Amino acid sequence: MSTTIDLEALGDSAAIPDRIARFPFPFPRDTYRYSTNVEPAGSVVETPVGGWGTHPVDVDGRYREDLAERTRILAEDPTRFQALPHMEIAQWDAMLTLMRMLTAAHPETFSLDGDGAARRFTNRALGVEQSFVFGDPSTLPEPPLLFVGRHLQEDVVLLDQREGALWGDAGLVTFAADWSLRFDVGMSFLQIHGPVPRVHTEGVIPRAQQFLMGLQPGRQYRRTNWSLSVDRLLDQSTETYPVWGRDRRLLAEGPLEDVGRRLNLRVEVQHLVRLGVSGAIMFLIRTYLLPFEDIARVPEWAERLCRVLEELPEDMADYKGITRTREPGVRWLRTYGGVRT
C-alpha cells in the first residue's frame, strides 16, 4: 500500500535513481497545448535532479529488457514492421545512420568498421557481429530497418518526401501509444495526424510539415510528447487496446493507494533527422515511463504535473486517452504525492 512520499528524506540528489535522474520531464510551464515544440538536438536538458538529451539514441538500464519485449511483439505480430517497396534505399540509409549514432553515443558497446560498401557492425551487449554490404539484401538476415531496430530502444518511422508532402512509408513500431503503423503506412503526414484535436484549426500540423520538408541532410531536431499509462506497458498500439484499455478502467475504479505505483507519466522523445543518401526523414520515437510515486520524489515535477492535468481541456484529454486516469492521478498527487497548492 502506498503512503505519503517522505520528501524530507529526498534532499540528497545522490539518492535519486537513474530512471528519475535521466527522465525527460516534458512540461516547461503549468499548462499544455499542442505545438511543434521543436528544438535542435544534441544538447543536455537539465532538470532539478539530472538531465537528458545528450544523444539521439539512448541506451539505459532497461536495454535488454526492452529489446526482449520488441522481439516478443514482433514474433506475435510481424506487421509492426512495414516498408513499401520504394523505401529500400531509405532503409539502408537509416540503418547505417543509426549504427553510426549508436557507436558515437556508446563506443564501449557498439562499433562500425570498414568503409565504402563493406561494413561490420558489432553490438557487444547482445553478442552480435554482422558483416554486410550496403544495398545488398543477401548480406543481412532481414530487412535493414528491422535488423537495426533490434539494437535500439527507439521506434523508427521513415517519411518519404514527394508531391509537395511527406508520407509515412516505412517503420518499425512496437511501442506505439494508441496508434497503428499497419493502419498508417502509406498515409500522408496530414492524414496521419487527422484525428488530433485543435492542431488543424491552429495550423500546427501544416507548419510542422513545412518545417520537416525544409530539413537539411544531417541536421537533427527533437521534440517531446506525453500521455498517461497504466503499469510499465510499452506496447499500447491499437492492436492491443483490449489489454491497456481495460487497465485504465480498472485503475480508475480501484484503490487510490495503488495509483502512485501503477499510473505512469509516459513521455516520448522524438528525434527528426534528414538522411543524407535517400533524402528521407527519419523519425525516432523513444518512450520513457515513470510512475507517479517517482514523479512525487521531485516536488517541482509533482506540482507541475498536477496543474497540467487539472487544466488540460476535455477534448485534448479525450484524444490522449487520459479521461479516466487523470482524475485519480490528480487525487493521488494531492493525497499522497505532497502537492498542496
Side-chain angles (χ1 to χ4, degrees), residues 101-333:
M101 287 180 173
L102 287 168
T103 299
H106 305 282
E108 73 286 353
T109 302
F110 304 96
S111 62
L112 181 63
D113 302 310
D115 53 20
R119 304 291 181 113
R120 183 176 69 254
F121 174 69
T122 302
N123 180 339
R124 298 174 187 87
L126 300 183
V128 173
E129 185 173 302
Q130 179 68 47
S131 297
F132 63 92
V133 175
F134 186 92
D136 183 351
S138 70
T139 60
L140 285 178
E142 55 193 345
L145 189 60
L146 183 56
F147 175 80
V148 75
R150 298 187 188 275
H151 298 273
L152 64 154
Q153 289 163 273
E154 286 78 6
D155 285 328
V156 189
V157 176
L158 300 181
L159 302 173
D160 189 32
Q161 184 169 330
R162 63 182 188 276
E163 302 170 6
L166 296 173
W167 304 81
D169 287 347
L172 172 62
V173 180
T174 54
F175 306 141
D178 200 6
W179 63 284
S180 168
L181 176 67
R182 179 174 58 191
F183 180 78
D184 286 352
V185 69
M187 287 187 179
S188 72
F189 189 79
L190 298 182
Q191 289 170 335
I192 290 171
H193 293 90
V196 185
R198 299 173 181 245
V199 295
H200 298 281
T201 56
E202 297 172 9
V204 173
I205 296 304
R207 288 199 306 272
Q209 178 170 253
Q210 287 301 120
F211 172 82
L212 290 173
M213 291 195 298
L215 280 182
Q216 298 301 305
R219 298 298 299 274
Q220 301 176 8
Y221 289 83
R222 69 184 175 209
R223 66 183 300 273
T224 58
N225 195 16
W226 69 276
S227 61
L228 301 180
S229 172
V230 179
D231 299 329
R232 195 178 188 279
L233 187 64
L234 286 169
D235 180 16
Q236 293 194 358
S237 63
T238 306
E239 289 85 348
T240 59
Y241 175 79
V243 175
W244 52 265
R246 174 202 61 204
D247 289 343
R248 291 175 178 175
R249 175 179 57 80
L250 294 177
L251 179 88
E253 296 173 354
L256 182 62
E257 292 90 342
D258 291 346
V259 170
R261 172 180 55 85
R262 297 195 62 197
L263 188 60
N264 288 256
L265 177 58
R266 180 186 180 110
V267 177
E268 294 178 354
V269 176
Q270 304 171 351
H271 278 84
L272 312 161
V273 182
R274 171 78 75 175
L275 298 175
V277 175
S278 64
I281 293 175
M282 182 169 66
F283 186 47
L284 301 175
I285 310 167
R286 176 61 190 278
T287 300
Y288 299 84
L289 295 164
L290 195 67
F292 273 41
E293 64 182 9
D294 280 344
I295 295 287
R297 300 182 69 173
V298 187
E300 298 97 317
W301 288 359
E303 292 168 8
R304 177 150 288 174
L305 175 60
C306 189
R307 294 187 188 114
V308 167
L309 291 177
E310 287 180 317
E311 193 277 338
L312 193 72
E314 287 295 332
D315 60 337
M316 296 179 67
D318 185 61
Y319 175 75
K320 284 185 173 291
I322 66 172
T323 302
R324 285 182 179 270
T325 54
R326 72 163 167 171
E327 190 273 336
V330 167
R331 282 197 293 127
W332 187 91
L333 287 168

Side-chain angles (χ1 to χ4, degrees), residues 15-158:
I16 298 295
D18 196 56
R19 68 180 181 276
I20 302 176
R22 296 175 59 176
F23 185 71
F25 189 76
F27 304 119
R29 56 189 65 86
D30 291 344
T31 60
Y32 174 84
R33 295 295 185 273
Y34 288 114
S35 68
T36 52
N37 75 338
V38 175
E39 64 181 14
S43 60
V44 175
V45 179
E46 295 184 354
T47 73
V49 290
W52 61 275
T54 306
H55 301 286
V57 290
D58 182 30
V59 173
D60 62 19
R62 294 188 180 273
Y63 180 71
R64 290 182 179 84
E65 176 186 342
D66 288 355
L67 292 186
E69 177 68 357
R70 170 162 288 160
T71 297
R72 181 194 67 80
I73 292 168
L74 286 168
E76 292 184 359
D77 184 3
T79 68
R80 304 301 184 89
F81 168 72
Q82 296 283 332
L84 300 185
H86 69 276
M87 296 298 286
E88 184 172 356
I89 187 62
Q91 285 196 65
W92 285 97
D93 199 2
M95 183 186 79
L96 197 59
T97 300
L98 288 166
M99 288 176 174
R100 288 171 175 154
M101 287 180 173
L102 287 168
T103 299
H106 305 282
E108 73 286 353
T109 302
F110 304 96
S111 62
L112 181 63
D113 302 310
D115 53 20
R119 304 291 181 113
R120 183 176 69 254
F121 174 69
T122 302
N123 180 339
R124 298 174 187 87
L126 300 183
V128 173
E129 185 173 302
Q130 179 68 47
S131 297
F132 63 92
V133 175
F134 186 92
D136 183 351
S138 70
T139 60
L140 285 178
E142 55 193 345
L145 189 60
L146 183 56
F147 175 80
V148 75
R150 298 187 188 275
H151 298 273
L152 64 154
Q153 289 163 273
E154 286 78 6
D155 285 328
V156 189
V157 176
L158 300 181

